Amino acid sequence: MNMQTTIKRSAADYRWVKAPEWCPGCGHFGVLQAIYNAFAELNLDPAKVVLVSGIGCSSRLPHFVRTTSVHAIHGRAIPYALGIKLANPSLEVLVVGGDGDLMAIGGNHLLHLGRRNVDMAVILMDNSVYGLTRGQAGPTLPAGIKVKAIPKANPQGEINPLLLALTAGFTFIARGYSYDIKYATRLIVEAIRHKGAAFVQIYSPCVTYNNVMTREWYEKKIYKIEEADPTWDPVVHDEKETEIKIRKALDKIVERDRLPLGIFYKNELVPTFEERYESIYDPNYRTLPPALQPVEVDGKTVVDFEKLLADRLL
């Protein structure tokens, strides 16, 4: 009689042997631990998890996690991850990156992931500077702030990542803080569980180059939405609620004097890209996706190239 046992994993089971290479005190350590904790809480099989990153301090994170990982080129983590997820939708795919990688050169890809509503999560580690290249102003650095690596105050307006994600069509939007590891863990768990495209911004202070938006600076401003308003409910339970829930999320997302943390919006009533593709193109897509389809038998191709070409021209 065959007995199948379920392995219960701990956070330590997801740590790679390589030690993290960040400055002492960097906020990214907290994000890394939150990811370990989230994977352990969900008891994810490391062989079925793919972490994808681009370039930057934060994009080193997959090096320190015991899963399959892809360290892609600058700003291209999302299209790499998108290809992996759509080729094999049974995989748990997460993108991790910084504000420079995901909001600047990678911003266009973020928009299209949102509108497609592919069932995967993006974790933005936001420190408002390009830490890997010595602290230039990042796309989330507010105008008028002078961090020590730039000669004068930043003349550019900042991107609001959550506002961008909401307008792009992400169906789960949240914000955490790297020094509150327990809370960040909860948000990452919910993002992974969510059916649809999930976006989590995590404030992750740079202790080396951002001498303005420090831990002390953030902790004077941040607050948890559900603690300030116990009636807060970001979940769309009925399609008729969608507009009012979006408006409520917007009110919180655009706050500037105080910085709310929590889940701003969650809507699982929107069909995912995988569901749409299955219903429109291929009813067997999720049971037999491209990555699992045979391409040859006994050394001979079984691919119908004429049909393949026709599909590409649709």
Side-chain angles (χ1 to χ4, degrees):
M1 183 177 183
N2 292 327
M3 299 291 291
Q4 185 174 2
T5 59
T6 300
I7 300 172
K8 179 58 182 150
R9 300 174 179 86
S10 68
D13 291 322
Y14 298 94
R15 293 195 188 104
W16 187 238
V17 293
K18 183 178 177 66
E21 298 173 341
W22 292 312
C23 302
C26 175
H28 295 350
F29 286 99
V31 182
L32 177 62
Q33 186 61 53
I35 287 175
Y36 291 150
N37 294 349
F39 286 1
E41 184 172 333
L42 295 167
N43 202 33
L44 298 181
D45 180 353
K48 295 183 178 180
V49 177
V50 183
L51 279 171
V52 186
S53 67
I55 298 298
C57 292
S58 53
S59 292
R60 291 174 173 168
L61 185 142
H63 296 194
F64 318 130
V65 187
R66 191 182 295 273
T67 62
T68 301
S69 64
V70 178
H71 195 163
I73 60 177
H74 197 11
R76 305 297 183 252
I78 287 176
Y80 271 86
L82 192 62
I84 293 165
K85 180 66 178 182
L86 295 184
N88 188 353
S90 67
L91 296 174
E92 196 66 65
V93 179
L94 288 88
V95 172
V96 293
D99 52 287
D101 194 69
L102 292 174
M103 294 289 104
I105 190 171
N108 184 54
H109 299 300
L110 187 85
L111 293 174
H112 297 294
L113 174 59
R115 75 181 180 90
R116 290 177 174 127
N117 195 34
V118 178
D119 187 16
M120 53 186 277
V122 176
I123 311 298
L124 168 66
M125 301 156 70
D126 188 356
N127 59 22
S128 297
V129 294
Y130 288 92
L132 190 65
T133 51
R134 304 299 185 263
Q136 301 94 329
T140 60
L141 185 71
I145 288 184
K146 183 196 174 308
V147 291
K148 63 183 182 181
I150 59 178
K152 295 183 179 180
N154 179 29
Q156 304 178 85
E158 80 272 26
I159 290 173
N160 183 325
L162 299 188
L163 188 58
L164 188 68
L166 186 64
T167 55
F170 279 84
T171 51
F172 179 96
I173 295 170
R175 179 191 283 153
Y177 176 57
S178 64
Y179 290 107
D180 190 339
I181 296 172
K182 184 176 180 180
Y183 196 70
T185 298
R186 178 200 148 198
L187 297 178
I188 294 171
V189 166
E190 292 300 317
I192 294 172
R193 283 178 173 160
H194 176 70
K195 182 178 74 72
F199 182 83
V200 183
Q201 175 191 20
I202 301 181
Y203 290 133
S204 184
C206 175
V207 296
T208 300
Y209 295 111
N210 194 332
N211 58 322
V212 177
M213 300 165 74
T214 61
R215 180 173 185 173
E216 294 73 24
W217 185 91
Y218 277 112
E219 291 179 4
K220 289 177 182 177
K221 290 175 172 284
I222 58 174
Y223 74 96
K224 295 173 182 174
I225 302 174
E226 67 275 15
E227 291 181 359
D229 179 6
T231 66
W232 178 257
D233 179 12
V235 180
V236 176
H237 303 281
D238 185 283
E239 289 181 357
K240 296 177 182 178
E241 297 179 338
T242 303
E243 184 177 342
I244 191 169
K245 291 295 173 74
I246 288 176
R247 289 180 183 275
K248 287 184 175 181
L250 278 169
D251 286 342
K252 291 295 180 184
I253 287 170
V254 298
E255 286 187 21
R256 296 177 67 89
D257 293 333
R258 300 185 69 205
L259 302 174
L261 307 179
I263 298 172
F264 294 78
Y265 182 70
K266 178 180 173 68
N267 186 354
E268 292 188 318
L269 303 181
V270 179
T272 64
F273 181 88
E274 297 91 319
E275 290 171 335
R276 292 169 179 154
Y277 190 89
E278 186 176 52
S279 66
I280 297 171
Y281 287 103
D282 183 0
N284 300 314
Y285 166 62
R286 284 189 290 178
T287 55
L288 191 61
L292 302 183
Q293 293 177 16
V295 295
E296 61 88 20
V297 175
D298 296 329
K300 296 181 179 180
T301 181
V302 295
V303 176
D304 184 338
F305 284 103
E306 290 187 3
K307 182 179 183 301
L308 185 67
L309 181 61
D311 288 343
R312 295 301 180 271
L313 295 175
L314 287 175

